Amino acid sequence: MAMKNYLLKIACVSALVCMTNLVNAQEIIKIGAPLALTGGLADEGKKQQIAYNMWLKKVNAAGGIQVGNKKMKVELITYDYQTDEKRAQSLAEKLITQDKVAFLTSPFGSGHTKVVAGVAERYGIPVLAPVASSESVFNQGYKNLFGTLAANGGIVSNMVTLFTKQYPSTKKIAILGREDVFPKAMASEMKAYAEKAGLEIVFNELYPVGTLDHASSLTKIKAAKPDWIYVSGYTQDLVLARKQMSDLGVSAPIITMITGPAYKEFSEALGPLAEGISSATWWHHSLTYKSKDVFGSTTDFYKEFVAANKADPDYVHASSAAALVALQMAIEKAGSIDKDKVRDQLASLDVVTFYGPIKFGANGMNQSRDLPIIQVQNNKIVVLYPESIKQGNLQLIK
């Protein structure tokens, strides 16, 4: 009898432990995030991680996300995919099938986002893309992909209009782009809009990923004597290209590098060579949005970021935090973490956040708005457009 009671107690304790573990598992929302923490996109991946952790800390400090009549804490599961596309794909699969995440965020860049989104689509898992802006990625028919950046086209069209209006003598443009999804799209769109504006395309080439010597292209550009040199790529590419331009004596009244000056790493690496370089960004801390999200306003997000990191945030930080804000809002509206219900709420979301308006279109992209055009002036980022936050005019490079 004593043995029977002992075994019964053990069974009860085991059952209680199992029930406790089950409840604890149910009380946690798991979000998966493959990040490029090493490799060529490590700078960008680490920015995503910083922003995610800012959001995570605030949400869990408040008890978690409100899901129906209870709050659920959040666990962010991250892996370093080492800027390797195939590894990003396999880790997305692992996060879904082994770690049992309910939702995903995508890596930096349109190309790697496309790979992760393809995996998520097979399992019906909603994926938030903080740093993908190429429409070709969102036009795949995915039902579960939602991006907080607006489409590329608005940036280029506004830039062409602004620069040619301010300097009508701008007649010839040279275009050099990296052969990768986002930079290639930005180069292609510049060509299209420049032609519409009546500019002469005197050079238009793509360089392979991993190119370490741009001398051949830059020599051709120099010979063409353009009024405007436009280069699209990622930070390390652009720093290298700008240094080699200086070495070869290649210049123009207007030099644009997409999206180099948007990152402090660009100006820090180039010093005086960054002066006068123009670019564009999807967000700037001088915006003044107020919201009911965990950050409260653009100003509050900016202050909190600077206090923790001793540096200004850029659009990668802001968009990454905003992606999780959007997911949080969709979960709260759904009152559930059911993937289909949350997906439907994301599709119908129409809110203003600290980052700005978020309203996903039919293809999952955030709707277009006037995106900031910027230039490095006196070692600082100056906003040239839109008028509401304008800090100065475009200055020609002498």
Side-chain angles (χ1 to χ4, degrees):
M1 187 69 178
M3 178 60 72
K4 184 177 181 180
N5 287 339
Y6 174 73
L7 292 174
L8 183 61
K9 285 181 180 179
I10 290 178
C12 288
V13 170
S14 298
L16 182 61
V17 169
C18 290
M19 288 179 65
T20 301
N21 288 339
L22 180 61
V23 170
N24 287 341
Q26 291 173 338
E27 295 302 312
I28 295 175
I29 302 171
K30 292 184 177 182
I31 302 173
L35 293 168
L37 300 178
T38 55
L41 295 176
D43 289 342
E44 291 82 356
K46 289 172 184 176
K47 290 180 182 184
Q48 288 181 269
Q49 185 179 48
I50 288 170
Y52 291 167
N53 287 337
M54 280 181 66
W55 173 84
L56 184 69
K57 183 178 179 180
K58 291 185 77 69
V59 166
N60 282 341
I65 295 176
Q66 189 71 41
V67 184
N69 60 2
K70 64 181 178 181
K71 283 199 170 186
M72 297 178 68
K73 290 287 185 76
V74 180
E75 180 183 359
L76 189 66
I77 303 175
T78 65
Y79 293 112
D80 177 15
Y81 76 94
Q82 301 169 356
T83 316
D84 182 296
E85 186 175 289
K86 291 182 179 179
R87 183 171 169 80
Q89 186 175 34
S90 64
L91 286 175
E93 188 100 24
K94 180 180 188 298
L95 284 162
I96 295 169
T97 60
Q98 297 181 35
D99 295 307
K100 306 296 182 184
V101 299
F103 312 103
L104 280 172
T105 65
S106 73
F108 180 89
S110 296
H112 294 174
T113 289
K114 184 176 180 179
V115 169
V116 170
V119 175
E121 192 70 16
R122 293 204 309 270
Y123 292 94
I125 299 291
V127 54
L128 276 296
V131 272
S133 61
S134 297
E135 291 179 85
S136 62
V137 174
F138 291 85
N139 291 340
Q140 301 294 312
Y142 296 141
K143 295 181 179 179
N144 294 283
L145 177 62
F146 300 91
T148 43
L149 296 184
N152 298 333
I155 285 178
V156 177
S157 61
N158 288 334
M159 185 176 285
V160 171
T161 300
L162 180 67
F163 291 2
T164 56
K165 181 179 180 180
Q166 188 171 346
Y167 293 102
S169 59
T170 303
K171 302 294 183 182
K172 299 188 296 182
I173 184 169
I175 301 170
L176 178 63
R178 170 177 164 133
E179 198 163 7
D180 205 346
V181 178
F182 165 71
K184 184 177 179 179
M186 293 301 290
S188 176
E189 285 163 8
M190 174 51 81
K191 179 178 183 294
Y193 282 103
E195 288 177 335
K196 285 182 183 178
L199 296 178
E200 180 186 355
I201 313 296
V202 295
F203 179 88
N204 180 35
E205 286 187 4
L206 297 173
Y207 60 89
V209 175
T211 296
L212 297 177
D213 187 357
H214 296 284
S216 177
S217 295
L218 294 176
T219 300
K220 293 175 186 176
I221 290 173
K222 184 178 182 179
K225 298 181 180 179
D227 304 306
W228 184 359
I229 298 173
Y230 175 93
V231 187
S232 63
Y234 294 125
T235 305
Q236 293 180 14
D237 303 325
L238 300 176
V239 168
L240 177 64
R242 182 67 186 103
K243 288 180 177 179
Q244 291 180 353
M245 286 173 67
S246 177
D247 293 341
L248 295 169
V250 181
S251 191
I254 302 173
I255 300 176
T256 299
M257 292 190 152
I258 302 293
T259 54
Y263 305 120
K264 66 181 180 64
E265 293 86 358
F266 178 84
S267 294
E268 286 176 351
L270 288 174
L273 288 179
E275 189 66 24
I277 305 299
S278 52
S279 191
T281 184
W282 282 262
W283 178 89
H284 190 267
H285 59 76
S286 61
L287 295 165
T288 56
Y289 292 110
K290 293 184 179 180
S291 68
K292 295 181 179 179
D293 61 47
V294 292
F295 294 106
S297 69
T298 310
T299 301
D300 290 337
F301 174 82
Y302 174 73
K303 289 179 178 177
E304 183 176 334
F305 186 95
V306 172
N309 298 283
K310 312 305 179 188
D312 288 345
D314 60 36
Y315 81 87
V316 176
H317 298 113
S319 187
S320 297
L324 291 177
V325 164
L327 177 59
Q328 178 184 357
M329 289 179 166
I331 291 170
E332 290 172 345
K333 287 178 178 292
S336 167
I337 60 169
D338 177 84
K339 61 186 181 182
D340 294 327
K341 291 180 180 178
V342 174
R343 185 261 164 213
D344 290 344
Q345 289 301 325
L346 283 167
S348 62
L349 204 63
D350 186 358
V351 295
V352 174
T353 69
F354 80 92
Y355 167 77
I358 295 180
K359 182 180 181 180
F360 300 114
N363 67 353
M365 292 196 83
N366 200 6
Q367 298 298 282
S368 296
R369 60 186 190 276
D370 286 337
L371 302 174
I373 296 171
I374 59 176
Q375 185 180 32
V376 180
Q377 296 181 6
N378 298 318
N379 201 33
K380 293 181 180 179
I381 297 299
V382 174
V383 178
L384 311 178
Y385 178 89
E387 196 69 30
S388 59
I389 57 171
K390 180 178 176 179
Q391 298 170 324
N393 294 315
L394 175 69
Q395 295 181 359
L396 298 182
I397 296 173
K398 297 177 181 180

